[in-house]
PDB file of all heavy atoms in Angstrom:
ATOM      1  N   HIS A 802       3.014  -2.133   2.982  1.00 93.00           N
ATOM      2  CA  HIS A 802       3.998  -1.353   2.211  1.00 93.00           C
ATOM      3  C   HIS A 802       3.351  -0.058   1.731  1.00 93.00           C
ATOM      4  O   HIS A 802       2.217  -0.064   1.251  1.00 93.00           O
ATOM      5  CB  HIS A 802       4.524  -2.145   1.014  1.00 93.00           C
ATOM      6  CG  HIS A 802       5.857  -1.649   0.523  1.00 93.00           C
ATOM      7  ND1 HIS A 802       5.993  -0.529  -0.261  1.00 93.00           N
ATOM      8  CD2 HIS A 802       7.111  -2.125   0.717  1.00 93.00           C
ATOM      9  CE1 HIS A 802       7.273  -0.340  -0.544  1.00 93.00           C
ATOM     10  NE2 HIS A 802       7.982  -1.290   0.050  1.00 93.00           N
ATOM     11  N   THR A 803       4.080   1.058   1.855  1.00 92.00           N
ATOM     12  CA  THR A 803       3.505   2.351   1.483  1.00 92.00           C
ATOM     13  C   THR A 803       3.223   2.463  -0.017  1.00 92.00           C
ATOM     14  O   THR A 803       2.365   3.246  -0.420  1.00 92.00           O
ATOM     15  CB  THR A 803       4.435   3.506   1.908  1.00 92.00           C
ATOM     16  OG1 THR A 803       5.762   3.262   1.411  1.00 92.00           O
ATOM     17  CG2 THR A 803       4.488   3.638   3.413  1.00 92.00           C
ATOM     18  N   SER A 804       3.921   1.688  -0.856  1.00 91.00           N
ATOM     19  CA  SER A 804       3.653   1.758  -2.297  1.00 91.00           C
ATOM     20  C   SER A 804       2.273   1.237  -2.647  1.00 91.00           C
ATOM     21  O   SER A 804       1.767   1.498  -3.745  1.00 91.00           O
ATOM     22  CB  SER A 804       4.712   0.966  -3.072  1.00 91.00           C
ATOM     23  OG  SER A 804       4.576  -0.435  -2.846  1.00 91.00           O
ATOM     24  N   HIS A 805       1.637   0.519  -1.728  1.00 95.00           N
ATOM     25  CA  HIS A 805       0.304  -0.012  -1.995  1.00 95.00           C
ATOM     26  C   HIS A 805      -0.784   1.044  -1.839  1.00 95.00           C
ATOM     27  O   HIS A 805      -1.897   0.848  -2.331  1.00 95.00           O
ATOM     28  CB  HIS A 805       0.024  -1.199  -1.067  1.00 95.00           C
ATOM     29  CG  HIS A 805       0.990  -2.322  -1.233  1.00 95.00           C
ATOM     30  ND1 HIS A 805       1.060  -3.390  -0.353  1.00 95.00           N
ATOM     31  CD2 HIS A 805       1.936  -2.570  -2.179  1.00 95.00           C
ATOM     32  CE1 HIS A 805       2.003  -4.223  -0.739  1.00 95.00           C
ATOM     33  NE2 HIS A 805       2.552  -3.747  -1.834  1.00 95.00           N
ATOM     34  N   PHE A 806      -0.478   2.151  -1.171  1.00 96.00           N
ATOM     35  CA  PHE A 806      -1.488   3.201  -0.996  1.00 96.00           C
ATOM     36  C   PHE A 806      -1.888   3.836  -2.337  1.00 96.00           C
ATOM     37  O   PHE A 806      -3.079   3.889  -2.645  1.00 96.00           O
ATOM     38  CB  PHE A 806      -0.984   4.268  -0.017  1.00 96.00           C
ATOM     39  CG  PHE A 806      -1.081   3.853   1.423  1.00 96.00           C
ATOM     40  CD1 PHE A 806      -0.063   3.153   2.043  1.00 96.00           C
ATOM     41  CD2 PHE A 806      -2.212   4.158   2.167  1.00 96.00           C
ATOM     42  CE1 PHE A 806      -0.151   2.756   3.370  1.00 96.00           C
ATOM     43  CE2 PHE A 806      -2.322   3.774   3.501  1.00 96.00           C
ATOM     44  CZ  PHE A 806      -1.287   3.079   4.109  1.00 96.00           C
ATOM     45  N   PRO A 807      -0.949   4.342  -3.139  1.00 95.00           N
ATOM     46  CA  PRO A 807      -1.377   4.874  -4.444  1.00 95.00           C
ATOM     47  C   PRO A 807      -1.972   3.800  -5.344  1.00 95.00           C
ATOM     48  O   PRO A 807      -2.828   4.098  -6.185  1.00 95.00           O
ATOM     49  CB  PRO A 807      -0.079   5.443  -5.031  1.00 95.00           C
ATOM     50  CG  PRO A 807       1.033   4.779  -4.293  1.00 95.00           C
ATOM     51  CD  PRO A 807       0.498   4.526  -2.922  1.00 95.00           C
ATOM     52  N   LEU A 808      -1.550   2.555  -5.166  1.00 96.00           N
ATOM     53  CA  LEU A 808      -2.091   1.464  -5.979  1.00 96.00           C
ATOM     54  C   LEU A 808      -3.572   1.248  -5.683  1.00 96.00           C
ATOM     55  O   LEU A 808      -4.392   1.111  -6.600  1.00 96.00           O
ATOM     56  CB  LEU A 808      -1.285   0.193  -5.704  1.00 96.00           C
ATOM     57  CG  LEU A 808      -1.656  -1.060  -6.500  1.00 96.00           C
ATOM     58  CD1 LEU A 808      -1.523  -0.803  -7.989  1.00 96.00           C
ATOM     59  CD2 LEU A 808      -0.764  -2.223  -6.080  1.00 96.00           C
ATOM     60  N   VAL A 809      -3.935   1.213  -4.395  1.00 97.00           N
ATOM     61  CA  VAL A 809      -5.339   1.042  -4.025  1.00 97.00           C
ATOM     62  C   VAL A 809      -6.155   2.274  -4.422  1.00 97.00           C
ATOM     63  O   VAL A 809      -7.293   2.152  -4.900  1.00 97.00           O
ATOM     64  CB  VAL A 809      -5.473   0.758  -2.515  1.00 97.00           C
ATOM     65  CG1 VAL A 809      -6.914   0.878  -2.053  1.00 97.00           C
ATOM     66  CG2 VAL A 809      -4.936  -0.640  -2.204  1.00 97.00           C
ATOM     67  N   ALA A 810      -5.584   3.461  -4.241  1.00 97.00           N
ATOM     68  CA  ALA A 810      -6.293   4.678  -4.646  1.00 97.00           C
ATOM     69  C   ALA A 810      -6.588   4.655  -6.143  1.00 97.00           C
ATOM     70  O   ALA A 810      -7.696   5.011  -6.584  1.00 97.00           O
ATOM     71  CB  ALA A 810      -5.463   5.909  -4.290  1.00 97.00           C
ATOM     72  N   ALA A 811      -5.608   4.220  -6.940  1.00 97.00           N
ATOM     73  CA  ALA A 811      -5.815   4.122  -8.390  1.00 97.00           C
ATOM     74  C   ALA A 811      -6.841   3.052  -8.731  1.00 97.00           C
ATOM     75  O   ALA A 811      -7.628   3.213  -9.679  1.00 97.00           O
ATOM     76  CB  ALA A 811      -4.489   3.817  -9.082  1.00 97.00           C
ATOM     77  N   THR A 812      -6.845   1.962  -7.973  1.00 97.00           N
ATOM     78  CA  THR A 812      -7.831   0.892  -8.205  1.00 97.00           C
ATOM     79  C   THR A 812      -9.245   1.397  -7.943  1.00 97.00           C
ATOM     80  O   THR A 812     -10.174   1.117  -8.716  1.00 97.00           O
ATOM     81  CB  THR A 812      -7.527  -0.326  -7.318  1.00 97.00           C
ATOM     82  OG1 THR A 812      -6.182  -0.771  -7.565  1.00 97.00           O
ATOM     83  CG2 THR A 812      -8.485  -1.467  -7.620  1.00 97.00           C
ATOM     84  N   ILE A 813      -9.423   2.150  -6.856  1.00 97.00           N
ATOM     85  CA  ILE A 813     -10.746   2.711  -6.550  1.00 97.00           C
ATOM     86  C   ILE A 813     -11.168   3.680  -7.654  1.00 97.00           C
ATOM     87  O   ILE A 813     -12.308   3.633  -8.138  1.00 97.00           O
ATOM     88  CB  ILE A 813     -10.732   3.419  -5.185  1.00 97.00           C
ATOM     89  CG1 ILE A 813     -10.470   2.410  -4.063  1.00 97.00           C
ATOM     90  CG2 ILE A 813     -12.056   4.148  -4.943  1.00 97.00           C
ATOM     91  CD1 ILE A 813     -10.230   3.046  -2.700  1.00 97.00           C
ATOM     92  N   ALA A 814     -10.246   4.554  -8.055  1.00 96.00           N
ATOM     93  CA  ALA A 814     -10.563   5.518  -9.114  1.00 96.00           C
ATOM     94  C   ALA A 814     -10.897   4.805 -10.423  1.00 96.00           C
ATOM     95  O   ALA A 814     -11.865   5.160 -11.115  1.00 96.00           O
ATOM     96  CB  ALA A 814      -9.391   6.479  -9.316  1.00 96.00           C
ATOM     97  N   GLY A 815     -10.104   3.785 -10.762  1.00 96.00           N
ATOM     98  CA  GLY A 815     -10.367   3.022 -11.976  1.00 96.00           C
ATOM     99  C   GLY A 815     -11.713   2.324 -11.929  1.00 96.00           C
ATOM    100  O   GLY A 815     -12.431   2.255 -12.938  1.00 96.00           O
ATOM    101  N   ALA A 816     -12.072   1.814 -10.746  1.00 96.00           N
ATOM    102  CA  ALA A 816     -13.356   1.131 -10.604  1.00 96.00           C
ATOM    103  C   ALA A 816     -14.525   2.094 -10.775  1.00 96.00           C
ATOM    104  O   ALA A 816     -15.534   1.760 -11.415  1.00 96.00           O
ATOM    105  CB  ALA A 816     -13.436   0.450  -9.238  1.00 96.00           C
ATOM    106  N   VAL A 817     -14.391   3.291 -10.223  1.00 96.00           N
ATOM    107  CA  VAL A 817     -15.463   4.287 -10.362  1.00 96.00           C
ATOM    108  C   VAL A 817     -15.622   4.709 -11.817  1.00 96.00           C
ATOM    109  O   VAL A 817     -16.744   4.792 -12.344  1.00 96.00           O
ATOM    110  CB  VAL A 817     -15.168   5.512  -9.465  1.00 96.00           C
ATOM    111  CG1 VAL A 817     -16.152   6.647  -9.755  1.00 96.00           C
ATOM    112  CG2 VAL A 817     -15.243   5.125  -7.992  1.00 96.00           C
ATOM    113  N   ILE A 818     -14.501   4.941 -12.502  1.00 96.00           N
ATOM    114  CA  ILE A 818     -14.570   5.310 -13.918  1.00 96.00           C
ATOM    115  C   ILE A 818     -15.130   4.149 -14.740  1.00 96.00           C
ATOM    116  O   ILE A 818     -15.983   4.339 -15.619  1.00 96.00           O
ATOM    117  CB  ILE A 818     -13.166   5.706 -14.431  1.00 96.00           C
ATOM    118  CG1 ILE A 818     -12.676   6.962 -13.721  1.00 96.00           C
ATOM    119  CG2 ILE A 818     -13.201   5.936 -15.953  1.00 96.00           C
ATOM    120  CD1 ILE A 818     -11.223   7.295 -13.989  1.00 96.00           C
ATOM    121  N   GLY A 819     -14.666   2.922 -14.445  1.00 96.00           N
ATOM    122  CA  GLY A 819     -15.180   1.753 -15.152  1.00 96.00           C
ATOM    123  C   GLY A 819     -16.667   1.563 -14.937  1.00 96.00           C
ATOM    124  O   GLY A 819     -17.408   1.202 -15.861  1.00 96.00           O
ATOM    125  N   ALA A 820     -17.135   1.838 -13.714  1.00 95.00           N
ATOM    126  CA  ALA A 820     -18.570   1.713 -13.424  1.00 95.00           C
ATOM    127  C   ALA A 820     -19.384   2.713 -14.222  1.00 95.00           C
ATOM    128  O   ALA A 820     -20.479   2.407 -14.712  1.00 95.00           O
ATOM    129  CB  ALA A 820     -18.809   1.911 -11.930  1.00 95.00           C
TER     130      ALA A 820
END
Side-chain angles (χ1 to χ4, degrees):
H802 202 281
T803 52
S804 69
H805 300 169
F806 282 88
L808 182 59
V809 168
T812 304
I813 295 171
V817 171
I818 295 170

